[in-house]
PDB file of all heavy atoms in Angstrom:
ATOM      1  N   SER I   4     -45.666  61.540 -68.079  1.00  0.00           N
ATOM      2  CA  SER I   4     -44.625  61.788 -69.078  1.00  0.00           C
ATOM      3  C   SER I   4     -43.968  60.481 -69.506  1.00  0.00           C
ATOM      4  O   SER I   4     -43.590  60.330 -70.672  1.00  0.00           O
ATOM      5  CB  SER I   4     -43.579  62.754 -68.537  1.00  0.00           C
ATOM      6  OG  SER I   4     -42.921  62.189 -67.421  1.00  0.00           O
ATOM      7  N   GLY I   5     -43.849  59.537 -68.579  1.00  0.00           N
ATOM      8  CA  GLY I   5     -43.300  58.231 -68.917  1.00  0.00           C
ATOM      9  C   GLY I   5     -44.218  57.452 -69.843  1.00  0.00           C
ATOM     10  O   GLY I   5     -43.763  56.762 -70.753  1.00  0.00           O
ATOM     11  N   ILE I   6     -45.518  57.591 -69.623  1.00  0.00           N
ATOM     12  CA  ILE I   6     -46.491  56.904 -70.482  1.00  0.00           C
ATOM     13  C   ILE I   6     -46.473  57.509 -71.882  1.00  0.00           C
ATOM     14  O   ILE I   6     -46.466  56.783 -72.883  1.00  0.00           O
ATOM     15  CB  ILE I   6     -47.897  56.978 -69.857  1.00  0.00           C
ATOM     16  CG1 ILE I   6     -47.941  56.147 -68.580  1.00  0.00           C
ATOM     17  CG2 ILE I   6     -48.950  56.498 -70.843  1.00  0.00           C
ATOM     18  CD1 ILE I   6     -49.208  56.295 -67.785  1.00  0.00           C
ATOM     19  N   ILE I   7     -46.435  58.830 -71.968  1.00  0.00           N
ATOM     20  CA  ILE I   7     -46.414  59.490 -73.276  1.00  0.00           C
ATOM     21  C   ILE I   7     -45.129  59.143 -74.025  1.00  0.00           C
ATOM     22  O   ILE I   7     -45.164  58.830 -75.225  1.00  0.00           O
ATOM     23  CB  ILE I   7     -46.581  61.011 -73.119  1.00  0.00           C
ATOM     24  CG1 ILE I   7     -47.994  61.323 -72.624  1.00  0.00           C
ATOM     25  CG2 ILE I   7     -46.296  61.739 -74.433  1.00  0.00           C
ATOM     26  CD1 ILE I   7     -48.212  62.755 -72.223  1.00  0.00           C
ATOM     27  N   SER I   8     -44.008  59.165 -73.336  1.00  0.00           N
ATOM     28  CA  SER I   8     -42.752  58.820 -74.012  1.00  0.00           C
ATOM     29  C   SER I   8     -42.751  57.355 -74.425  1.00  0.00           C
ATOM     30  O   SER I   8     -42.233  57.008 -75.487  1.00  0.00           O
ATOM     31  CB  SER I   8     -41.547  59.139 -73.129  1.00  0.00           C
ATOM     32  OG  SER I   8     -41.540  58.325 -71.982  1.00  0.00           O
ATOM     33  N   ALA I   9     -43.354  56.481 -73.618  1.00  0.00           N
ATOM     34  CA  ALA I   9     -43.432  55.069 -73.986  1.00  0.00           C
ATOM     35  C   ALA I   9     -44.287  54.880 -75.229  1.00  0.00           C
ATOM     36  O   ALA I   9     -43.992  54.037 -76.077  1.00  0.00           O
ATOM     37  CB  ALA I   9     -43.983  54.253 -72.822  1.00  0.00           C
ATOM     38  N   LEU I  10     -45.344  55.670 -75.366  1.00  0.00           N
ATOM     39  CA  LEU I  10     -46.185  55.589 -76.561  1.00  0.00           C
ATOM     40  C   LEU I  10     -45.415  56.027 -77.801  1.00  0.00           C
ATOM     41  O   LEU I  10     -45.484  55.385 -78.850  1.00  0.00           O
ATOM     42  CB  LEU I  10     -47.445  56.432 -76.391  1.00  0.00           C
ATOM     43  CG  LEU I  10     -48.454  55.939 -75.362  1.00  0.00           C
ATOM     44  CD1 LEU I  10     -49.572  56.959 -75.202  1.00  0.00           C
ATOM     45  CD2 LEU I  10     -49.009  54.593 -75.750  1.00  0.00           C
ATOM     46  N   LEU I  11     -44.699  57.135 -77.685  1.00  0.00           N
ATOM     47  CA  LEU I  11     -43.923  57.612 -78.822  1.00  0.00           C
ATOM     48  C   LEU I  11     -42.779  56.665 -79.152  1.00  0.00           C
ATOM     49  O   LEU I  11     -42.513  56.375 -80.321  1.00  0.00           O
ATOM     50  CB  LEU I  11     -43.393  59.023 -78.540  1.00  0.00           C
ATOM     51  CG  LEU I  11     -44.462  60.109 -78.410  1.00  0.00           C
ATOM     52  CD1 LEU I  11     -43.841  61.431 -78.015  1.00  0.00           C
ATOM     53  CD2 LEU I  11     -45.243  60.244 -79.696  1.00  0.00           C
ATOM     54  N   ILE I  12     -42.130  56.185 -78.128  1.00  0.00           N
ATOM     55  CA  ILE I  12     -41.042  55.231 -78.341  1.00  0.00           C
ATOM     56  C   ILE I  12     -41.589  53.923 -78.903  1.00  0.00           C
ATOM     57  O   ILE I  12     -40.927  53.238 -79.669  1.00  0.00           O
ATOM     58  CB  ILE I  12     -40.269  55.016 -77.024  1.00  0.00           C
ATOM     59  CG1 ILE I  12     -39.485  56.277 -76.678  1.00  0.00           C
ATOM     60  CG2 ILE I  12     -39.350  53.824 -77.110  1.00  0.00           C
ATOM     61  CD1 ILE I  12     -38.867  56.276 -75.313  1.00  0.00           C
ATOM     62  N   GLY I  13     -42.835  53.613 -78.561  1.00  0.00           N
ATOM     63  CA  GLY I  13     -43.467  52.394 -79.073  1.00  0.00           C
ATOM     64  C   GLY I  13     -43.537  52.364 -80.586  1.00  0.00           C
ATOM     65  O   GLY I  13     -43.447  51.299 -81.194  1.00  0.00           O
ATOM     66  N   LEU I  14     -43.700  53.514 -81.199  1.00  0.00           N
ATOM     67  CA  LEU I  14     -43.697  53.574 -82.656  1.00  0.00           C
ATOM     68  C   LEU I  14     -42.357  53.089 -83.209  1.00  0.00           C
ATOM     69  O   LEU I  14     -42.303  52.291 -84.143  1.00  0.00           O
ATOM     70  CB  LEU I  14     -43.970  54.998 -83.127  1.00  0.00           C
ATOM     71  CG  LEU I  14     -45.306  55.606 -82.720  1.00  0.00           C
ATOM     72  CD1 LEU I  14     -45.342  57.079 -83.065  1.00  0.00           C
ATOM     73  CD2 LEU I  14     -46.444  54.862 -83.357  1.00  0.00           C
ATOM     74  N   VAL I  15     -41.285  53.558 -82.607  1.00  0.00           N
ATOM     75  CA  VAL I  15     -39.948  53.169 -83.046  1.00  0.00           C
ATOM     76  C   VAL I  15     -39.663  51.726 -82.659  1.00  0.00           C
ATOM     77  O   VAL I  15     -39.103  50.950 -83.441  1.00  0.00           O
ATOM     78  CB  VAL I  15     -38.892  54.126 -82.444  1.00  0.00           C
ATOM     79  CG1 VAL I  15     -37.486  53.680 -82.788  1.00  0.00           C
ATOM     80  CG2 VAL I  15     -39.141  55.536 -82.905  1.00  0.00           C
ATOM     81  N   VAL I  16     -40.057  51.349 -81.456  1.00  0.00           N
ATOM     82  CA  VAL I  16     -39.799  49.999 -80.962  1.00  0.00           C
ATOM     83  C   VAL I  16     -40.496  48.957 -81.831  1.00  0.00           C
ATOM     84  O   VAL I  16     -39.930  47.904 -82.131  1.00  0.00           O
ATOM     85  CB  VAL I  16     -40.225  49.871 -79.477  1.00  0.00           C
ATOM     86  CG1 VAL I  16     -40.260  48.441 -79.028  1.00  0.00           C
ATOM     87  CG2 VAL I  16     -39.279  50.669 -78.604  1.00  0.00           C
ATOM     88  N   GLY I  17     -41.719  49.238 -82.249  1.00  0.00           N
ATOM     89  CA  GLY I  17     -42.434  48.310 -83.120  1.00  0.00           C
ATOM     90  C   GLY I  17     -41.692  48.078 -84.422  1.00  0.00           C
ATOM     91  O   GLY I  17     -41.549  46.944 -84.882  1.00  0.00           O
ATOM     92  N   ALA I  18     -41.203  49.154 -85.013  1.00  0.00           N
ATOM     93  CA  ALA I  18     -40.449  49.032 -86.262  1.00  0.00           C
ATOM     94  C   ALA I  18     -39.148  48.271 -86.053  1.00  0.00           C
ATOM     95  O   ALA I  18     -38.788  47.402 -86.855  1.00  0.00           O
ATOM     96  CB  ALA I  18     -40.170  50.411 -86.837  1.00  0.00           C
ATOM     97  N   LEU I  19     -38.440  48.568 -84.966  1.00  0.00           N
ATOM     98  CA  LEU I  19     -37.186  47.867 -84.698  1.00  0.00           C
ATOM     99  C   LEU I  19     -37.426  46.397 -84.371  1.00  0.00           C
ATOM    100  O   LEU I  19     -36.646  45.531 -84.769  1.00  0.00           O
ATOM    101  CB  LEU I  19     -36.433  48.553 -83.554  1.00  0.00           C
ATOM    102  CG  LEU I  19     -35.865  49.929 -83.872  1.00  0.00           C
ATOM    103  CD1 LEU I  19     -35.263  50.550 -82.614  1.00  0.00           C
ATOM    104  CD2 LEU I  19     -34.835  49.836 -84.973  1.00  0.00           C
TER     105      LEU I  19
END
Side-chain angles (χ1 to χ4, degrees):
S4 63
I6 292 172
I7 292 171
S8 65
L10 292 174
L11 295 175
I12 290 171
L14 299 171
V15 175
V16 167
L19 291 175

